[in-house]
């Protein structure tokens, strides 16, 4: 058994939120550069250039990539051979977020009660997902996500007879309805299978995968490629101003489901697709 102090988790989360909010992951940056180079519509290319400039400036000046520094989802993969000591894991995560957001001067966007809407002041609490894995490590993925893209997510319980074509229509319609709201070029996370909540979690999990890595199952990778092509044919373009680049990537995760169900969930992420992974 490896003993891990929750203080270490707090420190790791604190640094991760600072990194995530100021540095775009390399795969996203590279994909934006490729999109800019391949974009055939001049004003769309110009918008992509501005987004790249923004990303470089954020990194150089240690400034947030976007004013909406998001609700933070934290995915914790906890090794079965780890014994946590020194207090609650959830408290440590939230302390790390509170300190990171305060020190980084990042916007606090969380309200305590969805109806009373009083700001909690330090962007806590996070939404935490815990997964047990083999080994003695704790892998933490910090995923701040703005409301512009989050608000455009959708889920549906299709009939099995709707099949792949039904799922495909739903994903493309979701992007069409979202239009400029999620700040394109977007990343489209798709979750298929399980039940209502599992499909949503799969869509979110899909967004954690580096976008230069297609799904390891070739059949799923082919569906991702097909969806990306469909979506980019919509012509919404960077920031909704028209162009070839509506989405940078589609990432999909699937899970077994009930004989009478076909749950599909779509989570959209904006061009400011922030994430940071730390291992404790
Ligand atoms: S959707 Fe993304 S880029 Fe647009 S305002 Fe929200 S966080 Fe910023």
């Amino acid at each position: 058994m490896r003993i891990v102090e929750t203080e270490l988790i707090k420190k790791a989360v604190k640094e991760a939120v600072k990194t995530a909010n100021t540095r775009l992951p390399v795969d996203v940056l590279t994909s934006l550069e490729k999109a800019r180079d391949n974009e055939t519509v001049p004003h769309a290319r110009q918008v992509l250039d501005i987004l790249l400039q923004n990303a470089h400036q954020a990194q150089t000046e240690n400034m947030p990539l976007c004013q909406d520094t998001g609700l933070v989802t934290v995915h914790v993969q906890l090794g079965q051979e780890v014994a946590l000591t020194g207090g609650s894991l959830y408290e440590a995560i939230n302390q790390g977020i509170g300190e990171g957001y305060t020190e980084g001067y990042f916007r606090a966007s969380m309200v305590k009660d969805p109806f009373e809407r009083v700001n909690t002041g330090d962007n806590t609490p996070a939404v935490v997902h815990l997964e047990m894995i083999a080994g003695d490590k704790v892998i933490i993925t910090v995923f701040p996500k703005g409301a512009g893209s989050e608000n455009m997510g959708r889920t549906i319980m299709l009939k099995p007879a709707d099949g792949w074509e039904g799922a495909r229509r739903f994903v493309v319609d979701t992007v069409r309805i979202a239009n400029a709201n999620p700040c394109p070029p977007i990343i489209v996370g798709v979750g298929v299978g399980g039940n209502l909540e599992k499909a949503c979690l799969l869509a979110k999990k899909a967004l954690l995968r580096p976008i230069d890595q297609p799904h390891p199952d070739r059949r799923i990778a082919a569906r991702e490629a097909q969806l990306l092509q469909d979506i980019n044919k919509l012509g919404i373009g960077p920031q909704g101003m028209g162009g070839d680049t509506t989405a940078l990537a589609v990432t999909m995760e699937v899970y077994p489901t009930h004989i009478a169900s076909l749950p599909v969930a779509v989570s959209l992420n904006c061009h400011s697709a922030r994430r940071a992974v730390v291992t404790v």
Side-chain angles (χ1 to χ4, degrees), residues 66-69 145-149 181-183 239 270-272 274:
C66 180
Q67 45 77 33
D68 186 351
T69 46
K145 189 165 182 293
S149 60
N181 289 299
C183 294
Q239 294 299 298
C270 57
H271 64 81
S272 202
R274 296 151 287 187

Side-chain angles (χ1 to χ4, degrees), residues 149-172:
S149 60
E150 183 66 4
N151 290 350
M152 302 317 291
R154 292 203 305 160
T155 186
I156 190 168
M157 301 301 285
L158 291 175
K159 294 181 186 65
D162 293 322
W164 167 241
E165 284 310 317
R168 184 179 169 188
R169 250 192 323 275
F170 179 72
V171 176
V172 177

Side-chain angles (χ1 to χ4, degrees), residues 31-111:
S31 177
L32 274 171
E33 282 165 356
K34 267 194 202 156
R36 187 261 325 268
D37 296 345
N38 295 334
E39 177 62 61
T40 61
V41 178
H43 69 258
R45 207 165 44 242
Q46 197 186 353
V47 173
L48 290 166
D49 255 331
I50 293 168
L51 298 182
L52 280 161
Q53 252 175 43
N54 177 70
H56 286 124
Q57 202 156 340
Q59 175 154 351
T60 316
E61 296 181 18
N62 233 11
M63 296 287 284
L65 285 148
C66 180
Q67 45 77 33
D68 186 351
T69 46
L71 176 156
V72 186
T73 306
V74 181
H75 295 255
V76 182
Q77 293 172 293
L78 182 62
Q80 287 180 164
E81 290 158 40
V82 172
L84 291 173
T85 180
S88 149
L89 171 68
Y90 294 98
E91 274 174 27
I93 288 171
N94 282 318
Q95 280 168 8
I97 288 171
E99 289 180 19
Y101 270 71
T102 306
E103 285 178 19
Y105 299 102
F106 303 146
R107 193 181 88 186
S109 305
M110 295 298 287
V111 293

